[in-house]
Amino acid sequence: MTHPRATPAASTDSTQQAPSTGTHTGQTVPATGLTTAPSLADLRRHLTTQLDPAARTWLEHALDEAAAHPGVHGPISPWELRLAEAGRRCGAAHADAARVLILDAARAGTDALTRVYFQGTADERRAVLHALPHLVPGPGALPLVEDALRTNDTRLLTAAVGPYAARHLAAHDWRHAVLKCLFTGVPVEHVADLGRRAHGDGELARMLGDYAAERTAAGRPVPEDLYRVLDLTEPVPPTAGPADPHGKES
Amino acid sequence: MRIFDPHIHMTSRTTDDYEAMYAAGVRAVVEPSFWLGQPRTSPASFRDYFDSLLGWEPFRAAQYGIAHHCTIALNPKEANDPRCAPVLDELPRYLVKDNVVAVGEVGYDSMTPAEDTALATQLQLAADHGLPALVHTPHRDKLAGLRRTLDAVRESALPPERVLVDHLNETTVKEAKDSGCWLGFSVYPDTKMDEERMVAILRAYGTEQILVNSAADWGRSDPLKTRKVGDLMLAEGFGEDDVDQVLWRNPVAFYGLSGRLNLDVTGTAATHEGNSILRGVPKDPHEPDPAPTAPARLPGTEA
């Protein structure tokens, strides 16, 4: 494990606040300023207003069914079938949100999420990644994020750098994820909690500087986003004397 | 000219092909699962291939403004390998996926008992999942193979109007048409059909229920053959509407039988519409993605 200077361990701050049970119904994702990801209740409200009546009825039935019969039933559980067909039932624009809600209704934990991720299409995998911050309190689902970060599919990469990665991804892997966004053209606005994690990260600043130098040497433009992240790595200049690193917040 | 190639193995093609296909008018493809040239030895190898058809390949196509769907099956050749046949048990979980628009390609290669079993099993799977079937006709002993194929279709739960019989030619088109199935023709540089013979068949049999494909793969083949057929049709006196029927509306109608065809190319950029919703309510959720006038591509990719 690496220890970034002056950066608190990313995996401790939010999970400790998470209640051990009930996160899936109350959507009490710890509010640590982690991006603007909407709550499950927001998603539900959004779909209720946007889906056409047939799709809305389908989704309500799917959610009730998942809530009544979670877990594994036969080769393909009914809620997994609903997960697979959500795209053609709700439309591509609403499929991610519908799938996240189905996963929540089925109370999918790390094992179930891992199974449906690895048995899923790219669209289903993306939905699982979006569901992680809502459904998995600890770092147990990190292998899914790491798998998505190994792909070159920008839709998966975008979903992988969400709030769950911000909370749990180790510093080295997180820096490489940021760099991969710059390589593949994923806007860094999608990197959850970028400001907090980049702040004071000298190693990330070095990597960004090296990448900029490589681009410049090749006569290629440096992505605008690179400078944006580089700015965020700057420690805030001391205004009224250095902060006491051991002191509590006042 | 808008073109839907209803049978092309893009896994075996390069990004240059995607670029050239888009420039030629191709806006949609269906990639049937098939034999990769190197025989597989286990179901795991099939799973990775199917996952690619449902993951990486549609993403690659979308970058070039092309909608990508697939058909899933155990192909006839590998149905004969007992190490591969168990993948039949895993097909149901793939056949429920959004981008799967048919079971295929199934059919005969050497007309063995194992192929009989695989074909019958998979025609039943198509019926069970509300999917049409793409049925390949054999390269060797073709007319006998067609007759045995049509017998298998008649004995199945799948009505002929939900079956596309592919790789037809002058010797097999009549019986295939009489069966009520959809008619597929693969236009190749050296084998199967060529443009001139294809136009002659269209003149003799009309444009209804006929689909033309390039079936381009890892062999000598040409992903622009669909366009070349369209050009020759126009030069030989067919109208724009005839070309549109053969190269667009017929494949849309056939694969549309699945109820899963989605011809909007979304997700060409990292800010996929689906993502934007999970990051806050979109400005106007009913506004469709603008059709890409030029494909949005990644600035750089790493291997």
Side-chain angles (χ1 to χ4, degrees), chain A residues 94-128:
Chain A
H94 302 302
D96 280 5
R99 288 186 168 118
V100 170
L101 292 174
I102 292 169
L103 289 167
D104 171 59
R107 302 191 281 286
T110 303
D111 288 349
L113 291 167
T114 300
R115 185 178 69 252
V116 296
Y117 177 91
F118 284 109
Q119 293 188 350
T121 63
D123 289 343
E124 291 167 69
R125 292 180 188 208
R126 192 179 58 236
V128 170

Side-chain angles (χ1 to χ4, degrees), chain A residues 153 155, chain B residues 9-14 18 29 31 51-63 66 68:
Chain A
D153 184 330
R155 294 168 297 184
Chain B
H9 301 288
M10 293 311 301
T11 299
S12 306
R13 310 300 306 193
T14 64
Y18 272 124
V29 298
E31 175 156 8
D51 287 345
S52 170
L53 295 182
L54 291 163
W56 177 241
E57 205 56 47
F59 173 73
R60 217 161 68 101
Q63 286 180 273
I66 295 174
H68 181 288

Side-chain angles (χ1 to χ4, degrees), chain A residues 38 43 50 76 81 84-85 87-88 93 96 99 119 121-122 124 126 130 152-155 158 180 183-184 190, chain B residues 51 54-56 59 93 96-98 260 267 270-275 277-279 281 285-286 298 300 302:
Chain A
L43 290 181
Q50 298 300 328
I76 313 176
L81 280 175
E85 64 181 329
R88 55 189 183 270
D96 280 5
R99 288 186 168 118
Q119 293 188 350
T121 63
E124 291 167 69
R126 192 179 58 236
H130 281 309
N152 268 19
D153 184 330
T154 49
R155 294 168 297 184
T158 304
K180 188 150 184 178
F183 264 84
T184 56
H190 293 300
Chain B
D51 287 345
L54 291 163
W56 177 241
F59 173 73
R93 75 175 172 85
V96 300
K97 303 298 189 188
D98 276 336
R260 306 185 196 177
T271 49
H272 181 224
E273 195 178 1
N275 285 337
I277 285 186
L278 283 164
R279 293 182 176 278
V281 176
H286 286 307
L298 300 187
E302 13 171 49

